Amino acid sequence: MISVEEFGPLAVITYDRKERRNALSIAAMKALTGIAEDYQHRVDITCIVLAGSPQAFSAGVDLKDPERWSLDDKGLDERRYISATGTRMCKAWEELPQLTIAAVEGLNVGGGIALTLACDWRVMADNAFLYVPEVQIGIPLVWNTVPRLVNIVGASRAKQIMLLGEKMDGATARDWGLADWLAPAGETVARAKALAEQVLRSPPHVVKMSKQSVNAFANALNHASTFMDVDQAMVCGQSAEARQARAFFK
């Protein structure tokens, strides 16, 4: 599911589930969280590239994952813990000391976008597209993603992305700031590695402290504004309207 390559101070991590268009199951999110937690302690690594499969970075949360959706027999604490798996994943990636670059091929949907927004930079294939369908399946955008999205595109565009549910092509994603660079299809990892190599010319401690300084300011209020977003999603997601919307979306 996850492969790791290291080139000196650069790590390339590839998530390829080989099914469900790289949808994020609970097992996949736990694995991605564990990888990030492992690299928290790697002082010898300065940059990390995170890639999906050639067909998709991720189709978002796996709507057919029973571990995620079959929660009726579980207590509230356990349901809340399971529902916050994606939050913990994004937090682990956002808090990495290394510079992180997401390489996006094919489609990237919902929770996959949340994960790439937790990275520092995004390289997107010029034929790839983004799609945030959460509201259309009856839940708000969660995993502390809303402030990250607003930081990048502004309040009005964040509402457009969330409420209209329209697919966004690479050119628009770059214009709006959701993609920092476009690359020809199949070349996003190479472009991300080239950017990392450019960063690696600088002393590693300065790279990491610079990232820390920017994030300390940019993310200062993120938790305060979204600390209950998973609870909101649980309330919304248990409604009859949301169940019907999910069934239709599948």
Side-chain angles (χ1 to χ4, degrees), residues 161-243:
I161 291 167
M162 294 161 59
L163 300 179
L164 296 179
E166 297 176 340
K167 294 180 180 178
M168 180 183 293
D169 61 26
T172 305
R174 182 180 58 184
D175 289 345
W176 286 27
L178 292 171
D180 298 294
W181 292 272
L182 294 184
E187 296 184 18
T188 60
V189 171
R191 181 73 173 106
K193 288 173 68 176
L195 290 163
E197 293 292 347
Q198 188 172 343
V199 172
L200 290 171
R201 298 171 191 163
S202 301
H205 58 281
V206 180
V207 171
K208 293 172 183 176
M209 285 191 282
S210 296
K211 167 178 171 168
Q212 185 181 39
S213 297
V214 173
N215 283 6
F217 177 80
N219 303 337
L221 297 177
N222 286 12
H223 177 71
S225 61
T226 56
F227 74 99
M228 288 190 68
D229 65 358
V230 168
D231 297 287
Q232 293 169 351
M234 288 178 63
V235 170
C236 294
Q238 292 171 9
S239 69
E241 296 91 339
R243 292 176 188 270

Side-chain angles (χ1 to χ4, degrees), residues 5 27-28 30 43 56 63 100 104 125 197 209 224 244:
E5 298 177 281
K30 287 180 177 177
V43 296
L63 296 179
T100 53
V104 179
E197 293 292 347
M209 285 191 282
Q244 183 178 9

Side-chain angles (χ1 to χ4, degrees), residues 10 36 56 99 102 117 120 127 136 140 145 157 169 178 195 250:
L10 168 63
L99 183 81
L117 293 184
D120 297 304
N127 67 343
Q136 287 71 45
T145 304
R157 284 180 166 174
D169 61 26
L178 292 171
L195 290 163
K250 292 177 187 178

